[in-house]
Amino acid sequence: MKKITTILMLSLVFFMNNSCSKHDDEAIIDCFGDSILTELKHAADAGNSKIINYSIQYSGSNTVSAVKWNFGDGTPVQTISSATGAVSHTYTATGTFEVRADVVLSKSGGSCTVSPKKSVTVN
């Protein structure tokens, strides 16, 4: 019986040390809320419709520390370290591409990532 009690006590201590704290739960909720406040913007270049200018519009209270762009055309991911994540990308072919921006938001004591997506048609 003592072995079972000891095992149960050790299991309880392990679970309590590795479970989410209230702070962790709040950070998850904050990150989810920030996804609603983050928008991927794009516009075709006036002189060349295969050049698309991208940016992030974030209206929350945290800080955008980096944006990792996936342009959906097989080119390598591009990381931009600015508040708007502004970047231009030249497509080699026309078509519709699924563009994703992994936006890293800095919070006091941590960070989270939100990933808005958008289908973009290149003419």
Side-chain angles (χ1 to χ4, degrees), residues 46-60:
N48 183 347
S49 63
K50 289 187 180 177
I51 298 174
I52 307 294
N53 301 308
Y54 291 102
S55 65
I56 292 298
Q57 182 176 348
Y58 173 67
S59 57

Side-chain angles (χ1 to χ4, degrees), residues 33-71:
D34 283 329
S35 67
I36 297 168
L37 303 172
T38 308
E39 186 179 353
L40 190 158
K41 300 277 200 173
H42 77 286
D45 184 80
N48 183 347
S49 63
K50 289 187 180 177
I51 298 174
I52 307 294
N53 301 308
Y54 291 102
S55 65
I56 292 298
Q57 182 176 348
Y58 173 67
S59 57
S61 60
N62 298 308
T63 303
V64 174
S65 56
V67 180
K68 293 180 183 178
W69 290 99
N70 181 330
F71 301 108

Side-chain angles (χ1 to χ4, degrees), residues 9-108:
M9 291 299 289
L10 289 173
S11 298
L12 180 62
V13 169
F14 177 79
F15 176 74
M16 290 182 71
N17 284 336
N18 292 308
S19 66
C20 292
S21 67
K22 184 176 181 188
H23 177 72
D24 292 338
D25 293 342
E26 290 170 353
I28 291 168
I29 292 168
D30 287 345
C31 194
F32 176 73
D34 283 329
S35 67
I36 297 168
L37 303 172
T38 308
E39 186 179 353
L40 190 158
K41 300 277 200 173
H42 77 286
D45 184 80
N48 183 347
S49 63
K50 289 187 180 177
I51 298 174
I52 307 294
N53 301 308
Y54 291 102
S55 65
I56 292 298
Q57 182 176 348
Y58 173 67
S59 57
S61 60
N62 298 308
T63 303
V64 174
S65 56
V67 180
K68 293 180 183 178
W69 290 99
N70 181 330
F71 301 108
D73 62 351
T75 57
V77 170
Q78 188 173 356
T79 301
I80 304 296
S81 298
S82 73
T84 64
V87 65
S88 291
H89 182 71
T90 303
Y91 289 88
T92 58
T94 60
T96 301
F97 302 92
E98 178 85 5
V99 179
R100 186 181 80 228
D102 295 329
V103 182
V104 180
L105 301 172
S106 298
K107 302 173 182 271
S108 56

